């Protein structure tokens, strides 16, 4: 379980612990119908290899302030490596204005 330092827990945290993630490695509050043109720079949208990550997908993101993670699945699926790759792209070419997961 990950909680931002500004989160106030008002119920039993065991409810988060007991969250069934199914086949997923992470659970978090999801927000859909986002306008990603506000988050990503023109450099991102002009690069077909980068912008194609959204092909066929709903425009959704998740709030990273409250997350439940299955670290074994996370490691098996290599998500840390993927995140580091996106961070390296961001360092070389600014592709987004806000942190994005």
């Amino acid at each position: 379980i990950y909680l931002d330092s500004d989160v106030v827990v008002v119920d039993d945290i065991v409810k988060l612990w007991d969250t069934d993630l199914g086949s997923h490695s992470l659970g978090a509050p999801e927000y859909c119908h986002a306008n990603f043109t506000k988050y990503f720079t023109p450099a991102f949208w002009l690069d077909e290899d980068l912008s194609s990550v959204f092909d066929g997908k709903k425009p959704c993101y998740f709030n990273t302030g409250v997350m439940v993670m299955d670290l074994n699945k996370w490691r098996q699926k290599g998500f840390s490596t993927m995140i580091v790759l996106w961070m390296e792209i961001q360092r070389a070419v600014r592709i987004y204005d806000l942190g994005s997961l």
Side-chain angles (χ1 to χ4, degrees):
I1 296 174
Y2 170 84
L3 302 172
D4 270 352
S5 62
D6 62 348
V7 170
V8 177
V9 178
V10 296
D11 204 348
D12 191 344
I13 200 165
V14 79
K15 291 178 182 179
L16 285 176
W17 182 261
D18 289 339
T19 300
D20 180 8
L21 297 176
S23 63
H24 300 284
S25 56
L26 183 140
E30 182 180 58
Y31 302 98
C32 291
H33 309 294
N35 182 354
F36 282 126
T37 59
K38 294 180 179 181
Y39 300 110
F40 291 89
T41 65
F44 174 84
W45 296 113
L46 292 171
D47 187 315
E48 290 182 21
D49 289 331
L50 296 176
S51 62
S52 69
V53 299
F54 289 116
D55 289 350
K57 297 185 175 104
K58 294 186 303 182
C60 299
Y61 68 98
F62 63 89
N63 183 323
T64 58
V66 178
M67 298 186 292
V68 178
M69 303 169 76
D70 181 327
L71 294 178
N72 289 327
K73 288 179 190 170
W74 180 273
R75 290 180 187 110
Q76 289 170 354
K77 294 179 181 183
F79 287 128
S80 293
T81 301
M82 288 183 233
I83 290 171
V84 168
L85 173 65
W86 280 102
M87 290 169 37
E88 289 171 353
I89 293 169
Q90 169 71 355
R91 182 174 46 194
V93 179
R94 186 142 183 92
I95 58 171
Y96 51 82
D97 292 322
L98 302 171
S100 300
L101 287 178

